[in-house]
Amino acid sequence: MRAADIAVQMATVAEDMPAREAAKVLAGQDLPGLIVVDTKGRPMTVLAGTQVLRMAMPSYCQDDPALARVIDEAAADVILNGIGDRTVADLLPRERHVLPAVEPKATLLEVAAVMARSSVPLVAVVDGDQVMTGAITLDGLLDHILGT
Amino acid sequence: MRAADIAVQMATVAEDMPAREAAKVLAGQDLPGLIVVDTKGRPMTVLAGTQVLRMAMPSYCQDDPALARVIDEAAADVILNGIGDRTVADLLPRERHVLPAVEPKATLLEVAAVMARSSVPLVAVVDGDQVMTGAITLDGLLDHILGT
């Protein structure tokens, strides 16, 4: 079995996408982060979901989460207003996570080796032009390797 | 809606559990990591799935993943043999991730504030004795807040 056989389609976001829209993409899929691609569809980085929350939540709540309890406003409004008019690029941390990539014919062990070097439980599968054709999650990889 | 309403049951592992067994628990659930609890069921830390791979994959493969392609052995055997007889405690990195925790009556905004401060997309829900009663994933939280 090869990388292409276990890769799945995943929603991606562009750097210039409004971050509010990206937050909804994040909520709509079972992933800990968002894959950011360039205009040609080449994976650039991963935006961790916790980073989106970090940029959205008022800082006094992060300093003292108990204060969040007294906010008399719908949680969705607080988060979407906190994101404001920023784009995905505005939310990316200075030190970006590198999203590792493999070619479609990579073996599962090769994918495991690439993922082992990373702190991100995701590997992109890219074609000869580095365009993403799918992605492999840690869970998907272990499902196939350990047969669960 | 409160933390207790959106928390889900998650498999946990103990520090003295054989790491091979923990790898199968990891593969059997849709999570990027494993929640490690003490003998009383109190959450201690999260073991990232990428850390499990890091400890299991032969180092020459991590240095050069293309070498993994030539290994003439089933991927499951390489990984389970790589883990060997180590326990979960043996796989924990020196700098452990802190798993944030909230009480059952925490509001969703409070959970979001706690998760925003963390690099782990998981929050444990604990009772008055700090025993874990469930956990909330980033995805589950956003599903409820943003209504997807």
Side-chain angles (χ1 to χ4, degrees), chain B residues 46-124:
Chain B
V46 175
L47 176 60
T50 50
Q51 176 71 11
V52 176
L53 283 181
R54 198 140 52 235
M55 299 299 275
M57 289 296 293
S59 55
Y60 64 88
C61 287
Q62 293 185 48
D63 294 338
D64 182 1
L67 286 180
R69 207 179 288 183
V70 300
I71 295 184
D72 188 24
E73 201 183 347
D77 293 340
V78 173
I79 287 182
L80 294 177
N81 289 339
I83 291 174
D85 293 328
R86 285 180 284 185
T87 63
V88 167
D90 296 329
L91 264 53
L92 289 172
R94 250 175 247 155
E95 284 196 27
R96 297 182 177 189
H97 292 289
V98 174
L99 176 64
V102 295
E103 49 185 318
K105 68 173 184 190
T107 64
L108 300 198
L109 260 184
E110 200 175 340
V111 177
V114 166
M115 208 182 274
R117 301 198 298 177
S118 161
S119 58
V120 180
L122 272 179
V123 169

Side-chain angles (χ1 to χ4, degrees), chain A residues 58-139:
Chain A
S59 55
Y60 64 87
C61 286
Q62 293 185 48
D63 294 339
D64 182 1
L67 285 180
R69 209 179 286 184
V70 299
I71 295 184
D72 189 25
E73 200 183 347
D77 293 339
V78 173
I79 287 182
L80 294 177
N81 289 339
I83 291 174
D85 294 327
R86 285 180 284 185
T87 64
V88 167
D90 296 329
L91 264 54
L92 289 172
R94 250 174 246 155
E95 284 197 26
R96 298 182 177 189
H97 291 290
V98 175
L99 176 64
V102 296
E103 48 184 320
K105 69 173 185 189
T107 65
L108 300 198
L109 260 185
E110 201 175 341
V111 177
V114 166
M115 208 181 273
R117 300 197 298 176
S118 161
S119 58
V120 180
L122 272 180
V123 168
V125 179
V126 296
D127 65 16
D129 296 320
Q130 301 300 313
V131 172
M132 192 171 108
T133 57
I136 298 170
T137 62
L138 171 74
D139 187 64

